[in-house]
Amino acid sequence: MLVLGIETSCDDTAVSLIDYQSYGAVKILAEEISSQYSIHRDYGGVVPELAARAHLENLPVLVAAVFKGAAVEPQDIDYIGVTCGPGLKGCLLMGVAFARGFGLGHSLPVIGVNHIEGHILAPFLDNPQLEFPYLALVVSGGHTEIHVVRGLGDYELIARTIDDAAGEAFDKSANLIGFEYPGGPQLAALADSFDSSPFELPKVMRHSEGFSFSGLKTAIALLVAREKKAAGGSVSDEIRGRLAFAIQDSIVDALLFKFKKAQKETGIRNLIVTGGVSANKELRRRVEALPGCHAFFPSTQHCMDNGSMIALLAAARAELVPAAEHSLAVQARWPVETLPIAAGG
Ligand code: KG4
Ligand code: ZN
């Protein structure tokens, strides 16, 4: 089954063409991504209106590029998959309107899918041996949640953030120590070049059900302000590196604490970490070290938002969910545990 995947939920326009046989047999024929980093950098965050306009400009170019790259014609494909939510409404509408138009023009069915469910299935793209059930830690710029994944659409929520997401905690902390938006990957790279830190940050909300990063964010802001004051303005490279180490350690620790607890309580041994923050090496190292478990991660390009995970999910849904259940309604909020369970998924 040949499927075109379109992703425009936030600030990356991503498109992919895949050949799908099953979860474990997916061939990526071509994939393209256009990051809008340079558009939003000066604003310190994503500007929805600018992101939507950029998607509109990027989509025809990227779609043409994947068909050319895969040497496939639009009439040869079976489905178009497009992200309908969660995400920025204006951005989602661009992707959905484009997919509908392209579908009408080429008489192709369009399947709307959930972006977080895409991240939950993304590890299959690079780990064909992965099997249900597994425990998923979804960590991105906007989401931090743990689910038991028993099959397509069969998700049991274990924990979700009650305030900031892990990616936001990385990005906002990175900004405090002088990195431009988004900053998370740079903070992580700096932290990885140190092996210890004299700075102590509080262990976050260990007894609550959900994740919370707001207290940690305040503690980080106070610590950085104290060190800047002590240094008379800006801290030395050494102190900056040690701060980055302490910040990464505390965010990863908060994620691991709840993930380990969920693993113990459910007894599930297949673990996945997915979403932008799953590119973090320290997080991967600590998840891989969990005793008696098998850890699976997407490749770096599939940690971030990408079109292949959307195409894979659309293919799986096309195969397992009756046609009448596919909707193209755009939803800014759309928790995955509310999705219908696919028979035979
Ligand atoms: O999944 P994603 O590409 O987009 C969203 O759906 O949000 O995630 C982007 C987030 C950003 O906050 C970025 O700073 C973070 O992932 N990120 C990282 C790393 N690479 C990306 N955070 C920590 N360490 C990294 N290596
Ligand atoms: Zn994402």
Side-chain angles (χ1 to χ4, degrees), residues 20 30 34 39 55 77 128 143 157 176 208 247 252 275 280 286 322 329 332 341:
Y20 171 95
S34 173
I39 298 176
H55 288 311
I77 68 169
H143 294 83
L157 176 70
L176 289 174
S208 72
I247 293 165
V252 170
N280 187 278
R286 289 204 220 166
I341 297 174

Side-chain angles (χ1 to χ4, degrees), residues 7 9-12 115-116 119 139-143 166-171 181-189 248 274-281 303-305:
E7 158 59 39
S9 65
C10 190
D11 60 341
D12 291 318
H115 178 83
I116 298 301
H119 278 303
V139 271
S140 73
H143 294 83
E168 265 174 294
F170 266 108
D171 296 342
Y181 177 83
Q186 289 96 318
L187 182 149
Q248 170 166 272
T274 188
V277 182
S278 68
N280 187 278
K281 290 194 188 119
C303 289
M304 321 294 166
D305 292 348

